[in-house]
Amino acid sequence: MAAIALKQLLSRRAVDPAVGIKPHTAAEERLEQIKDAHWELAGNEASYRQLLDTQDDLIVRRRCSGELVFVNRAYCLAFGVTGNTVLASRFMPVVLVAETQRADGASAGQSPRRTVEFVETTRGPRWIAWEEHHVTTGDGDVEIQCVGRDVTEQRHSDAVLREARDQAESANRAKSRFLAAMSHEIRTPMNGILGMASLLRDTELTSDQDDYTRAIDQSARALLALIDEILDFSKIEAGKLQLASKPFSLRVCVASALELLAPCASDKGLDLTWSIAPNVPEFVLGDAARVRQILLNLLSNAVKFTEKGSIDVAVTVLNSGLMSSAPPPIVIMVKDTGIGFSTDTMKRLFDEFEQAEPAPGRGEGGTGLGLSISKRLARAMGGDITAEGGLGTGATFTAILHLAGTLESVGETPERLNGSRVSGHEFSPPPHFVAAKLNVKNPFVKRAGGLGPRVLIAEDNEINALLARRVIEMAQGCAIVVGNGRAAIDAVAQSLLPGATTFDLILMDVFMPEVDGLEATKAIKKLFEAHTEPGFTSPPIVALTANAFAEDKERCLAAGMNDFLAKPFDTRHLRDLLVRWVPACAVAVSQAGPKPAA
């Protein structure tokens, strides 16, 4: 303020004769301009310093030789120094730990160098994040300006979050391992329950015994469905869901789902109709198993909550009217005349572990995961699932799926399953569906003799081994059972000796003591590779395992196995497998049938 007042006074004296001072000469005027500039610069410097001193960031500037030319107030307070003591010195704080985040070239105009240092301060050790710039002074010299910020609390928060994230990920991995292990442990005895129930129904039973056996089978399958839903949900939650991208028949996929639910609809006296629009492609690219899973969830839901009336399934192509190179999405609509749902229920219909209102007089069970899983699967396919309906007026679920399709169309008109009602009939899929299931190569070994097909069973669970042996014997085959992979390798090695009889098929469990099924398969393949005698090739090796995930199947195939059958399976699944890989069993299986009930 004093400088400004003095300047104003001198200005008046220079132009006002009443002041009594003569006007300036040219030299004096020039000197006055220099003084004005100096005062202005001094005022700007004071304002600039005041601005820097009010900053919380630590600001320091030094020459390239290391001498400090400027420090702000925050810097002095942080390290317990004053400007008078550190300016022109090479003062540096005590650095305990340094972490360079990025270091670029140290010349003017280039990106700054960033470091994080754990330094001694008046508040104790603190983490300071420095950003270093090279600046050019008015004299042309290059100086280094550093701006530091205290990030101690932020790093502590980040560390806490990282630890929480790591713990959550560890817990999630532990949960996934637990569920995978439990799946295996539950599926193994479940295979014995379902398989033995199937064998029991092939014997002479009274009417009551047949009912009891059927109840065992249905209860076991219901429990298995719950396990599968929980595992699917866990896999989706962990972000490990992987969708296949293979061509498949959409019509066959829909038909196979309807085939499974048709008996349930028939038992309740429901009409089950389905239609496919003419412009729906016959073959699409996607995950057939997951599309079928979505449809099964929607259909089973409709059957569960519909006591009378009908269930209609319609497959169409969504026509948005917009020009696009991408294939239009497929729309699958399932409409029922069931109990429907209220507005409040609709808001949480796709939430985990939620269930709609139970049917009157009934306590419908389930995990409440079916619709949630279906919606997530649809979204993973680039689509979604929506629901419409009202309480007592039925429900309509619409699944929109993005599946790349061919130009070939099925040209189907709306048709009704097995006439006006499915009651008393079994739904038959299209002829090419059955043919596709049997269109598999049969690379079985050549061997002499007229004995029935020999099958080696490597299984450490006695009940599952008994189930497989009985099915093979019913197909007029000879079963040899071993309890681990090492014994399986030895049995195959013995079969390759001169005069010995080789195997037509090997059923290999995966988890076994001593040597697991994957290692045993690799060893058996090497035995045949080393056998130079013409005509000897490895028999097909089929995995029988309670590990039912897609990656488990890929792992088995990568080890050299030829096929994969997940536990639990019933006798029908194993018979189909024998027909597929051992032609000699096909006639025996076709002639075998259940004994009439007593």
Side-chain angles (χ1 to χ4, degrees):
M1 294 299 292
I4 296 174
L6 178 60
K7 177 182 176 183
Q8 291 174 345
L9 175 61
L10 291 175
S11 298
R12 291 202 313 273
R13 294 175 64 186
V15 298
D16 189 355
V19 179
I21 299 178
K22 295 181 180 180
H24 289 308
T25 64
E28 290 174 335
E29 185 68 29
R30 178 60 180 165
L31 180 61
E32 183 68 25
Q33 290 175 353
I34 293 174
K35 290 179 180 179
D36 289 347
H38 176 73
W39 285 329
E40 183 177 356
L41 180 61
N44 289 342
E45 183 179 354
S47 299
Y48 179 66
R49 174 174 286 278
Q50 184 179 9
L51 174 64
L52 295 182
D53 279 338
T54 58
Q55 299 298 309
D56 293 330
D57 292 342
L58 316 182
I59 303 174
V60 58
R61 181 181 289 193
R62 58 172 52 88
R63 296 188 180 93
C64 290
S65 57
E67 293 86 358
L68 272 63
V69 296
F70 174 82
V71 290
N72 73 338
R73 183 171 177 271
Y75 185 92
C76 294
L77 291 175
F79 301 114
V81 298
T82 64
N84 295 332
T85 58
V86 295
L87 291 179
S89 73
R90 296 186 179 183
F91 172 80
M92 295 288 290
V94 178
V95 179
L96 304 176
V97 179
E99 299 176 359
T100 301
Q101 294 183 334
R102 190 177 78 196
D104 296 322
S107 61
Q110 291 191 340
S111 300
R113 177 175 178 265
R114 296 183 176 91
T115 60
V116 179
E117 295 178 339
F118 195 48
V119 299
E120 289 283 4
T121 73
T122 55
R123 299 172 57 192
R126 308 288 293 179
W127 285 101
I128 307 295
W130 296 100
E131 186 170 297
E132 181 181 293
H133 297 266
H134 289 71
V135 294
T136 304
T137 67
D139 298 332
D141 294 333
V142 176
E143 295 179 346
I144 302 170
Q145 179 168 300
C146 297
V147 179
R149 175 165 296 178
D150 191 328
V151 294
T152 307
E153 281 73 19
Q154 177 185 337
R155 286 178 68 95
H156 176 70
S157 299
D158 291 345
V160 171
L161 289 175
R162 281 196 303 271
E163 184 179 359
R165 181 198 62 197
D166 293 343
Q167 289 179 354
E169 290 178 351
S170 176
N172 196 52
R173 287 192 297 269
K175 180 186 71 173
S176 298
R177 289 194 299 268
F178 171 76
L179 289 174
M182 289 304 298
S183 170
H184 181 274
E185 295 302 321
I186 293 174
R187 284 175 179 275
T188 298
M190 191 68 68
N191 186 60
I193 295 172
L194 288 171
M196 290 303 168
S198 180
L199 287 176
L200 187 59
R201 293 181 62 184
D202 288 344
T203 64
E204 295 183 1
L205 300 174
T206 65
S207 177
D208 287 344
Q209 290 171 339
D210 186 67
D211 290 340
Y212 302 155
T213 307
R214 189 186 302 273
I216 293 173
D217 182 86
Q218 291 176 348
S219 298
R221 292 183 188 279
L223 178 58
L224 183 63
L226 297 180
I227 296 169
D228 287 339
E229 282 189 348
I230 293 173
L231 289 173
D232 268 342
F233 180 74
S234 174
K235 200 167 190 179
I236 293 172
E237 282 287 285
K240 295 182 179 180
L241 175 66
Q242 293 182 346
L243 296 177
S245 183
K246 298 179 181 178
F248 68 95
S249 169
L250 185 59
R251 184 177 190 271
V252 169
C253 182
V254 174
S256 62
L258 289 164
E259 177 186 13
L260 286 177
L261 271 297
C264 298
S266 175
D267 291 341
K268 300 181 72 171
L270 302 175
D271 287 341
L272 182 58
T273 65
W274 67 301
S275 64
I276 299 181
N279 61 341
V280 174
E282 168 68 32
F283 295 98
V284 294
L285 193 65
D287 195 321
R290 294 303 188 180
V291 173
R292 182 169 173 267
Q293 181 179 357
I294 291 173
L295 187 53
L296 281 173
N297 280 334
L298 298 182
L299 280 172
S300 61
N301 222 49
V303 172
K304 180 188 294 185
F305 295 109
T306 304
E307 295 302 318
K308 61 180 179 179
S310 63
I311 299 170
D312 302 313
V313 179
V315 184
T316 59
V317 173
L318 181 63
N319 185 7
S320 62
L322 300 176
M323 297 296 294
S324 174
S325 58
I330 302 296
V331 179
I332 302 176
M333 184 180 296
V334 179
K335 183 177 182 181
D336 64 61
T337 59
I339 63 173
F341 43 78
S342 64
T343 304
D344 290 338
T345 300
M346 185 166 62
K347 295 178 182 178
R348 50 186 173 83
L349 201 57
F350 293 98
D351 293 344
E352 297 85 5
F353 306 105
E354 291 288 347
Q355 296 179 343
E357 292 88 348
R362 299 182 61 180
E364 300 291 351
T367 60
L369 289 174
L371 290 179
S372 175
I373 291 173
S374 297
K375 191 176 187 71
R376 295 188 184 215
L377 289 175
R379 286 182 172 177
M381 297 178 191
D384 203 354
I385 296 181
T386 59
E388 297 178 356
L391 196 58
T393 60
T396 301
F397 288 86
T398 303
I400 300 176
L401 309 175
H402 286 266
L403 304 169
T406 66
L407 298 178
E408 183 181 358
S409 299
V410 299
E412 289 293 326
T413 56
E415 68 179 274
R416 185 175 294 269
L417 286 181
N418 307 307
S420 61
R421 183 168 291 179
V422 297
S423 176
H425 297 277
E426 181 181 358
F427 172 69
S428 298
H432 61 274
F433 174 57
V434 178
K437 292 170 67 175
L438 301 180
N439 186 22
V440 183
K441 295 180 179 180
N442 296 279
F444 60 94
V445 298
K446 297 179 181 179
R447 60 184 178 81
L451 300 175
R454 299 180 75 239
V455 180
L456 175 64
I457 303 171
E459 171 63 73
D460 63 329
N461 183 280
E462 294 182 1
I463 296 177
N464 289 329
L466 174 61
L467 168 63
R469 182 170 64 81
R470 287 293 298 124
V471 173
I472 291 167
E473 290 172 351
M474 291 169 65
Q476 307 303 313
C478 176
I480 294 86
V481 180
V482 295
N484 57 67
R486 171 60 59 194
I489 298 170
D490 294 341
V492 172
Q494 291 291 326
S495 73
L496 294 177
L497 295 176
T501 305
T502 56
F503 294 104
D504 295 288
L505 178 68
I506 300 175
L507 302 180
M508 183 77 71
D509 188 21
V510 173
F511 284 98
M512 293 183 293
E514 296 190 34
V515 177
D516 65 31
L518 300 180
E519 292 302 319
T521 297
K522 295 176 183 177
I524 290 171
K525 293 288 185 179
K526 289 182 180 180
L527 287 177
F528 281 92
E529 290 173 2
H531 209 283
T532 57
E533 184 178 344
F536 279 89
T537 58
S538 174
I541 303 176
V542 179
L544 301 183
T545 175
N547 288 6
F549 290 135
E551 57 265 29
D552 298 317
K553 179 177 181 180
E554 294 299 327
R555 201 157 41 239
C556 292
L557 296 179
M561 295 185 178
N562 303 89
D563 206 347
F564 178 93
L565 184 58
K567 298 174 184 176
F569 56 84
D570 58 24
T571 56
R572 176 174 57 88
H573 297 138
L574 191 51
R575 286 175 187 142
D576 290 345
L577 187 143
L578 292 174
V579 169
R580 190 156 61 243
W581 290 106
V582 186
C585 291
V587 175
V589 169
S590 64
Q591 294 175 348
K595 297 180 181 180

